[in-house]
């Protein structure tokens, strides 16, 4: 069936809650996707920073197939070998000593919220000494379930969904004074993204993250990072926290962790391990053998192909190309290059509408996404080459050059 025929069926049977572009993809290999009409695209979006090792990586496909043939799921009524191995691997590759597995970024952030409150509760912070306040940033994005949605500092996502979860407050991102004014002995945790992805690819400074850590320590609050978009090599380090050296108490992961297979995770410091005692939290599928086998394959591929190093090296190249676009007077629609590693964006001037620009880029055979309403976001597979980046940036440049200001 053609794109058009498939989309007409989709419109009848799928809920219209997504603004999907009119393309149906049927195959992928590395950084290339093929649609139902047989047209090939350079994928610099990677399913929103998910397809970390590229499409249909043979090692990942093999591992998923082999695990599916051996054992997929037993629930957390029992242990499975793959979850144990993945926990071992992640405790070796990060400073966290315990891991909890779930299925998505929103679920990982729900876990951070519940862990923060319950941790203080377990330590006796109850009654008028209860610590329930959660502080997150404006323009943040933490997911769509009610807790994660409440944490998300963008009212447009919350419209008509209220009431939100109680005692969650937002502060301007990057503003330590604003945070200082809110953090107090009622605060359970401050939860931040090291780079705000959906908010427009805005990176926190080391001073901000270090200052937040200090403010939290001063009042006994926890400091947690949402690394759902930035983690797992995306910024050229296994975790984006490594750039600042700041150690959070816990961190949420998802997206690229299993290369496209749904899996979320929370890593935590040993001291927090008693924060979620037996029976206090969980999910049926969390850490199932199939998802964990996929995540283990992703780690093997990272090592074999040095993909985190590639993300740093090719990320620097992408950054230079975007800086040049922002500085080029022939592309007045591009005003500012932002980001870290292979999570980067180029902000579009107010005078231009980014939607037709991204649609033009797509017609020319390159896939990107929009973040923060006005930023063309690049989040390619971590195996992308400098030549593929050059190919994509040339297409973006051509689209920017032919963009017309809003009338
Ligand atoms: C930083 C961050 N946190 C959480 C989420 C939500 O993840 P999921 O869509 O897997 O629930 C996202 C998704 O874009 C994200 O970027």
């Amino acid at each position: 069936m053609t794109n058009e025929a498939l989309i007409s069926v989709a419109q009848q049977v799928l809920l219209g809650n997504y603004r999907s572009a009119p393309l149906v993809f049927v195959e992928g290999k590395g950084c290339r996707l093929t649609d139902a009409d047989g047209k090939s695209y350079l994928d610099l979006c990677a399913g929103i920073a998910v397809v970390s090792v590229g499409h249909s990586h043979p090692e990942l496909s093999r591992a998923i197939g082999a695990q599916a043939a051996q054992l997929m799921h037993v629930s957390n009524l029992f242990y499975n070998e793959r979850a144990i191995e993945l926990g071992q691997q992640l405790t070796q590759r990060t400073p966290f000593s315990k891991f909890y597995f779930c299925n998505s970024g929103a679920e990982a952030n729900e876990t951070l919220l519940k862990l923060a409150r319950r941790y203080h509760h377990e330590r006796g912070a109850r009654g008028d000494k209860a610590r329930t306040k959660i502080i997150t940033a404006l323009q943040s994005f933490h997911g769509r379930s009610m807790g994660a949605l409440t944490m998300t500092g963008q009212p447009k996502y919350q419209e008509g969904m209220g009431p939100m979860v109680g005692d969650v407050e937002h502060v301007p991102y990057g503003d330590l004074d604003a945070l200082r004014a809110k953090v107090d002995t009622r605060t359970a945790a401050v939860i931040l993204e090291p780079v705000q992805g959906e908010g427009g690819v805005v990176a926190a400074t080391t001073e901000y993250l270090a200052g937040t850590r200090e403010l939290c320590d001063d009042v006994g609050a926890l400091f947690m990072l949402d690394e759902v978009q930035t983690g797992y090599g995306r910024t050229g380090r296994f975790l984006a926290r490594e750039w600042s050296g700041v150690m959070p108490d816990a961190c949420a992961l998802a997206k690229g962790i299993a290369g496209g297979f749904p899996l979320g995770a929370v890593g935590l410091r040993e001291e927090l391990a008693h924060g979620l005692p037996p029976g206090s939290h969980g999910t049926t599928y969390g850490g199932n053998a199939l998802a964990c086998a996929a995540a283990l394959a992703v780690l093997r591929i990272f090592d074999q192909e040095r993909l985190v190093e590639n993300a740093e090296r090719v990320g620097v190249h992408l950054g230079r190309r975007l800086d040049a676009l922002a500085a080029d007077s022939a592309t007045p629609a591009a005003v500012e290059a932002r980001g870290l590693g292979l999570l980067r964006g180029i902000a579009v001037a107010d005078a231009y509408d980014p939607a037709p620009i991204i649609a033009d880029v797509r017609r020319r055979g390159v896939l990107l996404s929009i973040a923060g309403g006005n930023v063309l976001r690049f989040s390619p597979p971590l195996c992308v080459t400098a030549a593929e980046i050059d190919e994509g940036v040339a297409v973006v440049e051509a689209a920017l050059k032919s963009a017309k200001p809003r009338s």
Side-chain angles (χ1 to χ4, degrees), residues 53 232 298-308 382:
V53 298
Y232 245 74
V298 165
L299 291 176
R300 284 197 297 279
I301 297 164
F302 273 17
D303 292 345
Q304 283 156 13
E305 301 181 10
R306 305 189 71 76
L307 290 190
V308 181
L382 305 186

Side-chain angles (χ1 to χ4, degrees), residues 48 104-107 109 141-144 193 198 226 228-229 254-255:
I48 323 182
S104 69
E107 253 191 282
N109 283 318
F141 186 85
H142 299 288
R144 305 281 196 153
E193 295 160 88
E198 298 307 303
D226 175 353
V228 165
Q229 190 154 153
K255 292 215 183 256

Side-chain angles (χ1 to χ4, degrees), residues 47-50 103-109 140-145 148 151-152 192-199 225-230 252-255 262-264 343 377:
I48 323 182
V50 166
N103 310 287
S104 69
E107 253 191 282
N109 283 318
S140 62
F141 186 85
H142 299 288
R144 305 281 196 153
S145 56
M151 287 159 62
T152 293
L192 297 173
E193 295 160 88
V195 180
Q196 286 191 331
E198 298 307 303
L225 288 178
D226 175 353
E227 290 233 29
V228 165
Q229 190 154 153
T230 57
L253 293 168
K255 292 215 183 256
L263 178 66
L343 177 57
R377 173 175 43 185

Side-chain angles (χ1 to χ4, degrees), residues 31-167:
C31 295
R32 307 277 166 179
L33 282 170
T34 307
D35 73 8
D37 295 344
K39 181 173 172 181
S40 170
Y41 292 80
L42 176 62
D43 182 10
L44 301 183
C45 170
I48 323 182
V50 166
V51 185
S52 46
V53 298
H55 296 281
S56 310
H57 193 291
E59 169 69 14
L60 179 56
S61 305
R62 189 205 56 75
I64 290 173
Q67 189 62 48
Q70 186 188 331
L71 179 73
M72 282 200 247
H73 176 84
V74 294
S75 88
N76 291 294
L77 293 175
F78 311 97
Y79 293 101
N80 77 75
E81 278 178 290
R82 296 294 96 75
I84 296 168
E85 284 164 21
L86 184 60
Q88 267 180 324
Q89 284 277 328
L90 292 179
T91 52
Q92 283 159 16
R93 288 170 194 252
T94 70
F96 301 110
S97 64
K98 291 275 190 296
F99 273 82
Y100 164 82
F101 296 121
C102 51
N103 310 287
S104 69
E107 253 191 282
N109 283 318
E110 290 287 335
T111 305
L112 290 186
L113 192 159
K114 290 177 72 178
L115 169 64
R117 288 182 173 172
R118 186 69 186 251
Y119 165 80
H120 292 292
H121 176 86
E122 291 295 317
R123 285 164 53 100
R126 302 178 187 189
D128 59 0
K129 294 215 166 26
R131 279 179 180 263
T132 51
K133 185 170 27 168
I134 303 288
I135 302 174
T136 67
L138 290 167
Q139 300 308 122
S140 62
F141 186 85
H142 299 288
R144 305 281 196 153
S145 56
M146 286 311 286
L149 183 64
T150 306
M151 287 159 62
T152 293
Q154 302 192 57
K156 68 178 178 189
Y157 293 112
Q158 300 169 347
E159 193 184 337
M161 304 285 189
M164 295 291 116
V165 171
D167 216 6

